[in-house]
Amino acid sequence: MDVARLIVCAVSVVVLGVWAQSQSSIDVNFFQPINDLSSNMLGVAKGIYALGSIWAAIAVVLVLLLLRQFRIALRVGIAAAAAWGIAELVNELLGTHSIHGLAVNVRYGDGPSFPVANVAMITALAAALSPFAVRALRRIFFAAAVLVALAAMYLGTGLPSDVLGGVLLGMTTAAAVLVAFGSPAGKPSVEEVRAALADLGYDVSDIQRASESIPRAAVMDVALTTGEHYRVDVFGRDQRDAQVVAKAWHRLMYKEPGLPVFGSRIQQVEHIGYTLLLADRAGVHAPHVVKTGVGGPDAAVLVTTRQAGRPLAELTDDEITDDVLASVWHEVDQLHRAGISHGELDPLRIRVDDGVAALDDFSDADATGEQFWIDRDVASVLVATSLRVGNERAIAAAVNALGKDRVGEVLPVVQPAALPAETTKGTKHLSKELKQLRDDAAKATGVEEVKPLTIKRLTWTNIGMLAGVVLALAIAIPSLEGINWSTVQEQFEDAIWGWALLAAVFYPLIPIAWATALMGCVNQDLPFVPTALTQLACSFLNLITPNGIGGTALQLDYLHKQGVPLASGGSAMVLSTGVGGAIQMALFLIAAAITATAVDTSSSSSDNASLWAIALVAALVGIVLFVPKIRGKVVPTVKRAASDIWAVIRTPKKAMQLLGGDLAGNLLYPALLGLCLLAFHQRLDYAQLVCVQIGAGMLGNVAPVPGGIGVQEAALTAGLTSFGIPAAPALATVIVFRGITFAIPPFFGFFTLRWLRAQGYA
């Protein structure tokens, strides 16, 4: 939960920071009713606003120290100090908003700024203290944060977006501290569970934590005065999967079907009870539901019978007989016939008592009949049993229970990403073992080659793409500070449109250049016009698909129709991309070295954009060269690319086409940017244009949106302003340039694509 909150809030702060600089009418309309209130409340507002000062945080920390809550005091102090420090730093970088023409009553401070430091501090204080505080105290801090936010708008220290930025920054720092130092996760204590059971009418004689655990609940073994023994699962107020943000994050990042995003704790408990009742009706050996309800401090309680037996993970190899395996598969089959998937069928949830299997812990069960979860159950049991008794016995037991066809259907799900964590815990080289299991099962079931199901997960590539977007926005925010649309409109009115028209006339040279490079990547002689039109059609497909997937597929199809084998076509695409990237990087480094001394190094952080880019590239090169694991992966790839390039270079015609085409394509874009700049009475040296355009292109390429929409515009504007171009003409130039090179070509690309298909070229 804390990790999800940290990532979501951190990204939101950046996005909101960009929006806050625009001072939209929505922002102002929400701000003015509060800011226009009578000045009679000035003293009260200042007193409330002081609740968000650093002194208030120090007072809270001192109280916690006096109460000997040292660990809580450390977390709260670090979160509050970090929120305050970051907010003040950002305020220093961005300065106050320009309020010219706005009816803003600045009653305190220098004017509205993003984010509001006092709001960030009180929010961080409340969020960091929340997991350790009772509900009444949490509500008090929540009310204080709301009052400080309202006071900030009344005093004129922040617009609504600035206030919301403070809230998100406070939540970000608090989440970071809780991730670093840990939090109690809101699990009810033994005494809270006892009180909850008393509210439900149970007279408890003994209660203790169970040896089994559920990550999202407190699990207790309870003995009543009447002699009954029950298992009690209690989901507290901060139970993670009952929180909307955590489940929404999980649904977004893991793309798992059937995951309910909304719902209360009691609804989840009742859902578990419902699946247990369905399982009992189907004859599955599982705990019996005794009662569900709410008791104590809003704790959702599930009371069930205790499931006898020992977990499969604790059985010796000799105890896992063929009869035990058959019993396990019988229970799984019965459960699935009832339309229920367990969700976490690992060796701890499968229990065996006197040779008879039973299923335990239905906290992740699903009764919708979603096929993915049912297949995942089968794959989980197959892997869990194979790791204990070997592939041959595990596959034979599964086939005897389910049949060859059913086992063959689930083999694509037999992969690490689809399995419960406990199933594969402590197993090394799992990918190899699972591949062998798939191969053995495919032979036993008569299934042809089995490829793992593609399952989306958050990867380092995704994180790198996100970091690229954040970097671009961080560079661009200061450069957009002085822009307002009225001045941009004036730039368009005074523009010399002949230069822009000339840029549009020259644009077709770019797809011609890329076509020439593609012709140099294959041994066959490709027809010039269809190859060039294919590049133009790619502009349409790349607009509607992320990361250039559509354009790549079209080019592979085109090469195949021209008699190029698929393998050779793939190698050609890799070669073209590799050579183009190498040329692009070389041009950027050369241009950056030439222009480094030309950057205006004044106080604005945006003025150092090029220097930051150079430092970033240097750092990446250093990481590649000096980190063994990364060097071991990158260097061989570079060597192979160099070998392919050398093979092409040995054929002069192909070498000229490949290198000349890629070089021309990379040099034409900065030239067009320069023509658009001339349209607005501005100019830069060509090396500076290369540095700006290629640097922005690199950042746009890592953005997880087609064409780097938004990111490239921001980065181009930041780059131009870093070389002294005023903000208004810089933005106007970028709008025209991106219109000519990105927005207009897909219109023609659509019709070009239809022509290519009609003529049989694609």
Side-chain angles (χ1 to χ4, degrees), residues 206-217:
D206 182 60
I207 182 172
Q208 55 186 341
R209 294 190 180 275
S211 56
E212 295 83 3
S213 64
I214 298 176
R216 300 166 296 278

Side-chain angles (χ1 to χ4, degrees), residues 50-323:
L51 295 176
S53 67
I54 194 65
W55 299 108
I58 293 174
V60 172
V61 171
L62 288 176
V63 170
L64 290 171
L65 292 175
L66 290 175
L67 295 175
R68 305 182 66 82
Q69 300 293 335
F70 302 114
R71 296 174 60 191
I72 301 177
L74 176 65
R75 289 166 170 78
V76 170
I78 293 176
W84 177 269
I86 294 173
E88 289 292 338
L89 177 61
V90 176
N91 289 168
E92 186 68 24
L93 291 174
L94 299 183
T96 58
H97 294 308
S98 173
I99 56 176
H100 178 69
L102 299 178
V104 176
N105 297 314
V106 180
R107 300 183 174 99
Y108 185 81
D110 299 325
S113 58
F114 178 90
V116 179
N118 285 42
V119 175
M121 203 287 300
I122 189 66
T123 304
L125 200 65
L129 191 61
S130 177
F132 308 93
V134 296
R135 183 195 296 177
L137 188 58
R138 293 206 310 273
R139 287 180 173 176
I140 290 173
F141 272 97
F142 174 77
V146 172
L147 290 174
V148 171
L150 293 174
M153 288 190 284
Y154 174 78
L155 295 172
T157 60
L159 300 173
S161 58
D162 305 324
V163 169
L164 184 56
V167 171
L168 292 171
L169 176 59
M171 293 178 64
T172 299
T173 58
V177 168
L178 294 177
V179 167
F181 295 97
S183 71
K187 289 185 180 180
S189 65
V190 171
E191 292 306 317
E192 288 177 324
V193 174
R194 185 189 294 273
L197 291 173
D199 291 343
L200 293 176
Y202 290 105
D203 189 4
V204 178
S205 65
D206 182 60
I207 182 172
Q208 55 186 341
R209 294 190 180 275
S211 56
E212 295 83 3
S213 64
I214 298 176
R216 300 166 296 278
V219 184
M220 307 284 180
D221 286 329
V222 175
L224 304 182
T225 55
T226 54
E228 293 95 339
H229 291 78
Y230 293 129
R231 171 64 51 80
V232 179
D233 299 340
V234 187
F235 296 80
R237 59 179 177 262
D238 297 319
Q239 185 268 98
R240 291 180 297 173
D241 275 1
Q243 301 295 322
V244 172
V245 174
K247 292 191 289 186
W249 169 260
H250 206 263
R251 178 70 175 269
L252 174 66
M253 297 312 301
Y254 290 87
K255 303 184 186 299
E256 292 171 339
L259 180 68
V261 175
F262 297 97
S264 64
R265 295 183 300 280
I266 186 60
Q267 286 174 330
Q268 180 166 357
V269 165
E270 291 173 345
H271 175 74
I272 297 172
Y274 171 67
T275 56
L276 284 171
L277 289 174
L278 291 180
D280 181 59
R281 181 183 297 176
V284 178
H285 290 86
H288 299 289
V289 178
V290 178
K291 194 169 187 177
T292 63
V294 177
D298 283 347
V301 181
L302 172 67
V303 182
T304 65
T305 58
R306 295 177 59 183
Q307 186 60 54
R310 291 183 295 155
L312 184 68
E314 296 180 4
L315 299 182
T316 64
D317 292 343
D318 293 337
E319 291 177 305
I320 306 178
T321 63
D322 289 341
D323 289 338

Side-chain angles (χ1 to χ4, degrees), residues 229-231 233 272-290 302-309 327-328 330-332 334-336 338 340-342 345 348-353 356-363 365:
H229 291 78
Y230 293 129
R231 171 64 51 80
D233 299 340
I272 297 172
Y274 171 67
T275 56
L276 284 171
L277 289 174
L278 291 180
D280 181 59
R281 181 183 297 176
V284 178
H285 290 86
H288 299 289
V289 178
V290 178
L302 172 67
V303 182
T304 65
T305 58
R306 295 177 59 183
Q307 186 60 54
S327 179
V328 170
H330 174 74
E331 298 301 315
V332 173
Q334 288 293 101
L335 185 71
H336 291 168
I340 307 168
S341 58
H342 184 279
L345 272 181
L348 295 178
R349 270 74 177 181
I350 302 173
R351 304 181 71 87
V352 178
D353 181 35
V356 178
L359 308 180
D360 199 10
D361 178 15
F362 277 58
S363 60

Side-chain angles (χ1 to χ4, degrees), residues 455-477:
I455 296 179
K456 299 290 186 180
R457 290 293 187 267
L458 181 63
T459 65
W460 286 109
T461 301
N462 303 137
I463 295 174
M465 292 165 64
L466 179 62
V469 175
V470 172
L471 174 62
L473 294 176
I475 292 174
I477 288 174

